[in-house]
């Protein structure tokens, strides 16, 4: 029951019922007052025009044309209508008698006086009835005048007296209903807006945060449902984090477990290499060392590939000044290329967008793989060049060598995992790449679109 | 003789590297766990730490050592190569080398760190120059005269000596010496390098000590 009355629907129904009830009360109350007043008026015996006219005609017909009878008529009517004024004009226009006439009557009435009197009284106040005495024209006529106030319609009287209050009452009820409805909906709107804002809030993990539920109505139920969803999302995120953590740990441990014996292998090879060895043995040691290095790179690439393909590789976008980054990156690789007899060229031009929104670690990894490829597969060309150029619609970074390109056959050709990582990272950072030949040079071009 | 604190739980790798480092002239204290490492924080000139250790891991030990002695250079030497591990390591350590490493590369990195932290009294013979790295005292061996540098020249040369054999870009040099961001086209660095060359090079028009690496930066190669 409490739940029912806690609902917004029930609350609004209560408001509607109250409003309807008040309207009904107003009308019923109005009707009661109206009826009471009408009854009171009715008790006061309010005359009607037609009845008065008929009864005056009747009374005049029943009265003989003597002064006493006419006076009796006056008295009788003045008892019933104390406000009534009456007078009698003979056939020749002489005023024979009068009763309670508040103005001065002419003693002699000409025909035109009579006509103008009749004309002036028609439809006007006082209500005037003219009737022949005994019903005969030669007995003259008697006139009765009654103020029209006596005939006043009780309804209009009531309306005049109480109508304004009745209207004001209805108006007040309507206004109160509108105000209450407005406040009710404003409250709902406010809560919905608050809910919408609260739903848009995110915690540092990018998940929505729970809402404090204050009421148990429909919005409160919505808030509860939202909180349940947040809880489920948090659980799911926590599970995902745990799985991610387990996967990372597994990969890290796997990497560790492979690298530790590789370190021992390298250590032993290094120790042996310090002894005087026949040429064949020294060469075998060198091969062993480069194989260790190769396995190391392969493991590294394999783990990076696994993480990248399952979207677990950490990505943090930052502002990177491309030309500066390339100079610093090549500076770190310079000694290796120099040692291998490479000519190193920097052909850096101005870019449309000198600073890119990318992950610097991804960029390093990408260029490490590309330069590693040059070192391994384009050793004979003895050239590595880095170019940057602002082209139409995009900025380009080019890694140039004089190798055989991707279709070339080298002793060190692998499964292409290094380039697969480059491909995934290029796509992951919203860049594109392609490779082509330019005369003797093989070029890998990374493009940064302008929009 | 620089003193190196080396923590490695793998007996085979630990004993081999300790021996290698001793052969290269370092005094080595090798521990197989982090227990008791803090006692060396004050005496060691450099610490080499593995990450996966019994008990406290290398990151926690490194952070403790750095808290104890902020001037102790720390080099993480680990088979953990994940970006997250490197980032965590480099949040307090000064270098991060992954296994399998080449002992010569490790020795070079140790040298760089010792020079950067001025931990070893070393005299470098660089062509006609004899340089005492700790106080950066430069002597022309041919004339036996000391070469005096101005403030900025001194800082610039110190930067090269601390990063021997490494190429430093214009931006890196400018930011390390002037402590401000480099603005493309600024000639200040070039002017100072010219003055420095005039003081230390035998033929400043054909510099052999401070090499210009075209399109990248400068290098002082031993």
């Amino acid at each position: 029951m409490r739940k029912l009355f806690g609902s917004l629907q029930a609350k609004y129904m209560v408001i509607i019922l109250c409003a309807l009830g008040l309207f009904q009360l107003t009308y019923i109350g109005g009707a009661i007052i109206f009826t009471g007043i009408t009854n009171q008026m009715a008790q006061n015996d309010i005359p009607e025009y037609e009845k008065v006219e008929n009864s005056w005609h009747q009374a005049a017909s029943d009265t003989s044309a003597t002064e006493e009878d006419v006076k009796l008529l006056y008295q009788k009517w003045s008892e019933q209508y104390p406000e009534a004024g009456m007078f009698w004009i003979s056939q020749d226009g002489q005023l024979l008698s009068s009763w309670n006439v508040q103005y001065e009557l002419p003693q002699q009435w000409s025909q035109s006086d009579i006509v103008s009197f009749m004309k002036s009284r028609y439809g006007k106040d006082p209500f005037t009835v003219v009737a022949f005495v005994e019903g005969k024209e030669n007995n003259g006529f008697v006139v009765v005048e009654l103020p029209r106030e006596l005939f006043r319609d009780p309804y209009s009287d009531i309306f005049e007296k109480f109508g304004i209050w009745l209207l004001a009452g209805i108006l007040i009820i309507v206004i109160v209903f509108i105000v209450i409805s407005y406040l009710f909906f404003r409250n709902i709107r406010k809560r919905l807006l608050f809910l919408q804002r609260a739903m848009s809030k995110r915690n540092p993990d990018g998940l929505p945060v729970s809402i404090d539920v204050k009421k148990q109505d429909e919005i409160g139920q919505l808030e509860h449902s939202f909180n349940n969803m947040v809880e489920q999302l948090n659980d799911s995120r926590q599970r995902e984090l745990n799985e991610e953590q387990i996967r990372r740990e597994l990969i890290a441990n796997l990497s560790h477990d492979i690298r530790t014996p590789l370190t021992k292998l390298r250590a032993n090879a290094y120790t042996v290499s310090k002894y005087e060895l026949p040429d064949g043995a020294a060469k075998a040691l060198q091969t062993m060392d480069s194989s260790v290095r190769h396995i190391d790179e392969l493991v590294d690439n394999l783990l990076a590939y696994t993480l990248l393909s399952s979207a677990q590789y950490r990505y943090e976008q930052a502002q990177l000044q491309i030309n500066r980054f390339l100079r610093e990156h090549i500076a770190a690789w310079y000694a290796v290329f120099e040692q291998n007899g490479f000519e190193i060229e920097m052909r850096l031009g101005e870019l449309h967008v000198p600073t890119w929104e990318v992950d610097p670690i991804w960029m390093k990894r990408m260029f490490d793989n590309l330069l590693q490829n040059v070192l391994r597969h384009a050793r004979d060309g003895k050239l590595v060049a880095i170019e940057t150029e602002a082209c139409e619609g995009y900025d380009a970074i080019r890694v140039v060598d004089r190798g055989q390109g991707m279709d070339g056959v080298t002793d060190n050709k692998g499964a292409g995992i290094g380039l697969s990582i480059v491909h995934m990272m290029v796509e992951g950072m919203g860049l594109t790449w392609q490779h082509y030949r330019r005369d003797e040079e093989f070029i890998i071009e990374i493009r940064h679109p302008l929009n | 003789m620089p003193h190196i604190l080396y923590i490695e739980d793998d007996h085979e790798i630990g004993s081999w590297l300790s021996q290698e480092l001793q052969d290269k002239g370092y005094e080595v204290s090798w521990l197989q766990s982090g227990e008791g490492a803090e006692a060396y924080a004050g005496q060691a000139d450099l610490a080499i730490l593995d990450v996966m250790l019994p008990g406290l891991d290398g990151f926690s030990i490194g952070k403790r050592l750095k808290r104890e002695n902020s001037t102790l250079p720390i080099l993480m030497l680990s088979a953990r190569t994940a970006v997250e591990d490197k980032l965590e390591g480099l949040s307090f350590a000064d270098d991060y080398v992954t296994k399998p490493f080449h002992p010569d590369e490790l020795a070079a990195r140790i040298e760089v760190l010792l020079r950067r932290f001025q931990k070893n009294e070393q005299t470098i013979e660089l062509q006609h120059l004899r340089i005492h790295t700790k106080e950066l005292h430069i002597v022309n061996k041919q004339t036996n005269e000391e070469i005096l540098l101005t403030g900025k020249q001194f800082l610039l040369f110190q930067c090269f000596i601390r990063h021997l054999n490494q190429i430093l870009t214009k931006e890196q040099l400018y930011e390390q010496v002037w402590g401000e961001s480099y603005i493309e086209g600024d000639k200040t660095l070039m002017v100072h390098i010219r003055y420095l060359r005039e003081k230390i090079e035998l033929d400043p028009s054909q510099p052999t000590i401070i090499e210009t690496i075209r399109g990248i930066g400068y290098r002082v190669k031993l």
Side-chain angles (χ1 to χ4, degrees):
Chain A
M1 189 61 87
R2 197 180 155 194
K3 203 173 173 181
L4 176 72
F5 284 105
S7 82
L8 288 170
Q9 189 187 1
K11 277 182 189 166
Y12 193 62
M13 287 310 292
V14 168
I15 292 174
I16 298 270
L17 288 174
C18 282
L20 286 174
L22 274 171
F23 274 124
Q24 293 302 320
L25 272 177
T26 314
Y27 286 124
I28 292 167
I32 290 168
I33 295 164
F34 191 76
T35 317
I37 292 168
T38 314
N39 287 341
Q40 205 183 358
M41 293 286 187
Q43 280 166 10
N44 288 348
D45 200 12
I46 293 161
E48 289 173 34
Y49 290 112
E50 207 179 313
K51 274 184 186 172
V52 169
E53 192 179 340
N54 289 337
S55 64
W56 182 250
H57 279 287
Q58 190 60 48
S61 297
D62 295 344
T63 304
S64 56
T66 62
E67 212 163 297
E68 290 77 24
D69 277 359
V70 171
K71 202 169 181 182
L72 271 173
L73 173 72
Y74 291 161
Q75 279 172 348
K76 203 174 154 192
W77 272 68
S78 70
E79 276 169 19
Q80 197 178 347
Y81 306 109
E83 300 88 347
M86 292 162 280
F87 58 93
W88 179 21
I89 307 291
S90 68
Q91 190 193 9
D92 51 8
Q94 195 183 345
L95 176 70
L96 294 175
S97 65
S98 67
W99 184 276
N100 194 28
V101 178
Q102 299 300 321
Y103 54 94
E104 201 174 329
L105 290 164
Q107 288 301 312
Q108 190 60 48
W109 294 60
S110 64
Q111 279 188 340
S112 62
D113 283 343
I114 294 164
V115 170
S116 89
F117 174 77
M118 296 289 270
K119 224 179 148 185
S120 70
R121 291 303 172 91
Y122 186 79
K124 303 274 171 49
D125 195 15
F127 175 67
T128 308
V129 184
V130 177
F132 293 112
V133 179
E134 269 182 80
K136 293 171 185 163
E137 288 174 20
N138 56 357
N139 287 338
F141 57 87
V142 278
V143 177
V144 66
E145 296 171 339
L146 285 165
R148 278 190 188 264
E149 229 174 61
L150 291 176
F151 300 90
R152 192 79 166 259
D153 179 5
Y155 294 98
S156 63
D157 209 38
I158 291 162
F159 195 78
E160 251 179 46
K161 281 184 180 168
F162 304 104
I164 190 78
W165 295 109
L166 196 68
L167 274 175
I170 292 169
L171 202 66
I172 287 167
I173 290 167
V174 169
I175 289 169
V176 167
F177 174 67
I178 290 170
V179 168
I180 290 173
S181 295
Y182 169 72
L183 290 175
F184 180 77
F185 283 108
R186 197 181 69 157
N187 186 35
I188 292 176
R189 186 176 170 273
K190 240 166 84 174
R191 287 178 61 201
L192 285 173
L193 284 174
F194 174 77
L195 185 62
Q196 188 249 330
R197 275 198 297 272
M199 281 174 163
S200 321
K201 277 186 192 162
R202 296 284 180 269
N203 66 13
D205 289 334
L207 292 176
V209 287
S210 295
I211 297 167
D212 189 13
V213 183
K214 287 177 185 152
K215 290 182 181 171
Q216 297 304 324
D217 52 20
E218 284 89 339
I219 296 177
Q221 284 165 19
L222 180 65
E223 288 168 340
H224 270 304
S225 304
F226 178 73
N227 283 350
N228 287 339
M229 190 194 77
V230 170
E231 208 174 302
Q232 282 170 9
L233 270 174
N234 277 324
D235 286 349
S236 158
R237 174 74 182 148
Q238 196 51 48
R239 268 200 307 278
E240 196 186 317
L241 283 175
N242 288 343
E243 280 168 19
E244 201 177 308
Q245 187 60 30
I246 290 167
R247 184 192 279 259
R248 279 183 198 285
E249 280 297 320
L250 183 74
I251 287 173
N253 291 342
L254 198 65
S255 161
H256 180 268
D257 291 352
I258 296 172
R259 283 163 199 278
T260 304
L262 282 179
T263 311
K264 291 177 187 174
L265 203 63
R266 197 168 210 182
N268 287 313
Y270 182 79
T271 310
V272 175
S273 72
K274 289 203 282 190
Y275 294 102
E276 279 288 326
L277 292 172
D279 282 356
K283 204 170 176 193
L285 269 185
Q286 263 179 16
T287 311
M288 196 196 284
D289 191 63
S290 71
S291 295
V292 166
R293 204 171 54 238
H294 197 180
I295 296 171
D296 172 36
E297 283 162 13
L298 205 60
V299 168
D300 204 27
N301 276 338
L302 199 61
L303 298 179
Y305 184 81
T306 313
L307 287 173
L308 270 172
S309 53
S310 58
Q312 301 279 318
Y313 204 87
R314 184 191 177 109
Y315 181 74
E316 273 183 21
Q317 198 164 280
Q319 301 264 336
L320 189 71
Q321 288 179 34
I322 290 305
N323 283 347
R324 177 179 177 157
F325 160 77
L326 291 170
R327 268 198 295 272
E328 286 175 6
H329 201 68
I330 287 296
W333 273 86
Y334 197 91
V336 183
F337 280 110
E338 197 179 33
Q339 213 172 15
N340 285 279
F342 273 78
E343 188 187 329
I344 303 145
E345 282 183 23
M346 296 301 280
R347 306 167 187 164
L348 304 183
E350 283 200 11
L351 296 173
H352 294 297
V353 184
T355 304
W356 295 5
E357 290 267 352
V358 286
D359 183 335
I361 292 174
W362 283 40
M363 287 291 279
K364 272 185 196 161
R365 182 61 196 245
M366 216 166 76
F367 279 93
D368 278 344
N369 283 12
L370 291 175
L371 294 173
Q372 188 68 257
N373 264 16
V374 173
L375 198 62
R376 191 168 297 144
H377 306 299
R379 197 180 281 263
D380 299 338
K382 298 288 176 214
L383 170 84
V384 60
I386 302 291
E387 291 180 2
T388 51
E389 191 186 345
C391 302
E392 202 175 322
Y394 64 92
D395 282 324
I397 304 176
R398 299 190 192 101
V399 179
V400 184
D401 63 53
R402 282 201 204 112
Q404 295 174 353
M406 293 202 183
D407 307 323
V409 180
T410 65
D411 295 341
N412 298 319
K413 194 165 172 67
I417 195 166
L419 288 178
S420 302
I421 289 172
V422 172
H423 179 74
M424 280 196 270
M425 287 187 159
V426 161
E427 284 197 336
M429 290 190 286
L431 309 172
T432 57
W433 74 311
Q434 53 181 270
H435 54 88
Y436 55 90
R437 288 212 149 268
R438 187 175 63 191
D439 304 327
E440 291 296 299
E441 295 175 337
F442 173 72
I443 293 166
I444 287 186
E445 183 173 282
I446 290 161
R447 291 181 176 184
H448 179 266
L450 292 187
N451 295 315
Chain B
M1 187 187 290
H3 179 195
I4 294 176
L5 167 66
Y6 176 39
I7 307 179
E8 168 67 71
D9 63 327
D10 189 291
H11 189 268
E12 214 173 316
I13 299 172
S15 61
W16 165 71
L17 188 61
S18 301
Q19 191 55 54
E20 281 300 323
L21 292 174
Q22 280 166 11
D23 291 349
K24 287 187 191 296
Y26 300 109
E27 181 192 338
V28 180
S29 299
W30 169 38
L31 302 179
Q32 284 185 284
S33 75
E35 211 178 317
E38 282 166 63
Y40 292 91
Q43 353 167 343
D45 294 309
L46 184 132
I48 299 175
L49 310 175
D50 185 16
V51 174
M52 290 173 91
L53 293 168
L56 274 183
D57 64 39
F59 294 141
S60 311
I61 298 166
K63 282 174 193 162
R64 283 189 184 187
L65 288 174
K66 207 66 177 174
R67 227 178 5 247
E68 288 280 318
N69 180 3
S70 62
T71 62
L72 174 69
I74 294 176
L75 186 149
M76 300 305 297
L77 182 63
S78 173
R80 293 181 67 125
T81 56
V83 174
E84 288 79 6
D85 291 324
K86 286 182 185 170
L87 288 177
E88 189 178 351
L90 289 172
S91 67
F92 64 91
D94 305 287
D95 204 353
Y96 196 104
V97 178
T98 54
K99 292 175 183 173
F101 57 91
H102 197 284
D104 292 343
E105 188 198 340
L106 184 70
R109 286 179 184 259
I110 290 171
E111 279 303 303
V112 168
L113 281 183
L114 289 173
R115 271 201 302 275
R116 213 169 98 196
F117 283 82
Q118 297 176 351
K119 289 287 183 182
N120 55 346
E121 178 71 58
Q122 201 185 2
T123 305
I124 298 171
E125 302 280 332
L126 190 62
Q127 298 178 27
H128 63 285
L129 302 178
R130 183 181 297 118
I131 304 152
H132 301 277
T133 55
K134 206 157 187 175
E135 64 274 16
L136 210 69
H137 181 65
I138 310 164
V139 177
N140 184 337
K141 288 190 285 182
Q142 292 172 348
T143 58
N144 223 14
E145 278 175 11
E146 188 183 349
I147 297 172
L148 295 171
L149 302 176
T150 64
K152 286 284 184 267
Q153 290 164 3
F154 179 86
L155 290 173
L156 207 51
F157 197 59
Q158 189 184 44
C159 202
F160 281 121
I161 295 301
R162 283 185 185 169
H163 299 92
L164 273 176
N165 300 323
Q166 288 175 38
I167 298 171
L168 295 167
T169 63
K170 284 181 286 183
E171 290 93 342
Q172 287 170 329
L173 281 167
Y174 191 86
E175 282 164 13
Q176 286 192 36
V177 173
W178 277 269
E180 293 168 16
S181 297
Y182 175 76
I183 299 163
E184 197 59 49
D186 190 344
K187 301 273 184 250
T188 316
L189 179 71
M190 278 175 64
V191 171
H192 278 81
I193 286 190
R194 199 175 72 223
Y195 290 153
L196 183 58
R197 278 175 170 157
E198 280 169 9
K199 287 198 176 167
I200 62 171
E201 299 278 0
L202 283 177
D203 179 3
S205 62
Q206 300 284 320
T208 53
I209 295 176
I210 302 176
E211 278 181 88
T212 300
I213 309 293
R214 209 157 64 84
I216 306 178
Y218 301 93
R219 172 173 70 176
V220 170
K221 202 171 162 190
L222 199 57

